[in-house]
Amino acid sequence: EFISYLAKNNSLDNCYQVVWGGGEPTLDKSFEQILEEINKSANPKIYHRVFTNSVRYSEAITRFLKKGLIKIVTSIDCGNPETFKKVRGRAKFYNVFENLKKYAEIDPSKVTVKYIFTEDNYEEKEIDGFVENCLKYNLDNCNFQISLNYKNKNLETKILKAISYLFFKL
């Protein structure tokens, strides 16, 4: 109903991007329905940017990737399952890579793999594991985003070195 209201008031006419975040948007049972409704009413050049953990595979994301109407961003933030569980809170390291591989097979230019540096994931073994898995799962043609924990007020030299190392490895 909200999408219909926006469409009736021409609020979507000049909208070129819808950003989905705030948890895991694909868990919402109406996620695909809302995507479809927005696309019926919005500017034909619109696309959706979805911040997803990619723990579970989404048919809706797949369909919209095939139409060229969606881009996804997934933070992995480590290079092995143990650190993934510590940093991301779930033992789904390989699930994420498997799902990203499926999405990247459709259009890697619409997939961004993100690495947020923290105190738990800046060592070379983590970075090497991350890059090795990106290659193993054919993510090398995806986009990569290197980020920091925004809570840190100062950029420590060890983190700066780790960022440079990841950039070099990528």
Side-chain angles (χ1 to χ4, degrees):
E1 290 175 11
F2 180 63
I3 303 305
S4 296
Y5 170 81
L6 292 174
K8 287 177 189 170
N9 290 296
N10 302 320
S11 299
L12 298 174
D13 292 355
N14 293 316
C15 181
Y16 291 92
Q17 178 178 218
V18 175
V19 179
W20 296 77
E24 180 54 45
T26 64
L27 290 178
D28 187 321
K29 290 178 177 34
S30 60
F31 175 71
E32 185 171 10
Q33 180 184 1
I34 295 170
L35 285 171
E36 294 288 354
E37 287 300 316
I38 290 171
N39 279 353
K40 286 180 191 173
S41 309
N43 183 317
K45 295 181 181 177
I46 195 169
Y47 75 92
H48 301 265
R49 178 176 300 275
V50 178
F51 290 88
T52 174
N53 61 26
S54 294
V55 167
R56 68 181 211 128
Y57 180 74
S58 169
E59 289 291 340
I61 286 178
T62 296
R63 282 191 282 283
F64 273 69
L65 278 169
K66 288 178 179 176
K67 295 177 186 179
L69 297 173
I70 202 166
K71 295 179 181 181
I72 66 167
V73 178
T74 298
S75 288
I76 298 178
D77 309 333
C78 63
N80 66 67
E82 296 77 28
T83 306
F84 186 85
K85 185 170 185 183
K86 184 177 180 181
V87 173
R88 305 301 296 163
R90 302 189 70 192
K92 300 289 185 176
F93 182 75
Y94 294 113
N95 297 65
V96 172
F97 276 101
E98 288 167 8
N99 292 331
L100 287 174
K101 179 182 179 179
K102 292 175 188 174
Y103 299 144
E105 286 171 348
I106 299 165
D107 187 350
S109 73
K110 302 279 193 282
V111 176
T112 298
V113 183
K114 186 174 178 182
Y115 197 106
I116 303 172
F117 279 95
T118 67
E119 286 295 320
D120 298 316
N121 67 0
Y122 70 90
E123 294 181 12
E124 283 186 15
K125 68 179 176 104
E126 291 294 337
I127 296 167
D128 290 341
F130 171 75
V131 172
E132 288 166 12
N133 278 293
C134 286
L135 291 171
K136 177 181 174 183
Y137 288 90
N138 301 319
L139 303 179
D140 47 316
N141 288 317
C142 294
N143 300 295
F144 290 89
Q145 181 179 350
I146 300 172
S147 189
L148 294 170
N149 182 340
Y150 67 90
K151 295 177 185 176
N152 294 347
K153 292 181 181 178
N154 298 314
L155 177 59
E156 297 179 48
T157 303
K158 64 184 181 185
I159 301 292
L160 182 57
K161 286 180 180 178
I163 290 168
S164 299
Y165 184 71
L166 176 56
F167 184 79
F168 170 77
K169 294 290 282 190
L170 290 172

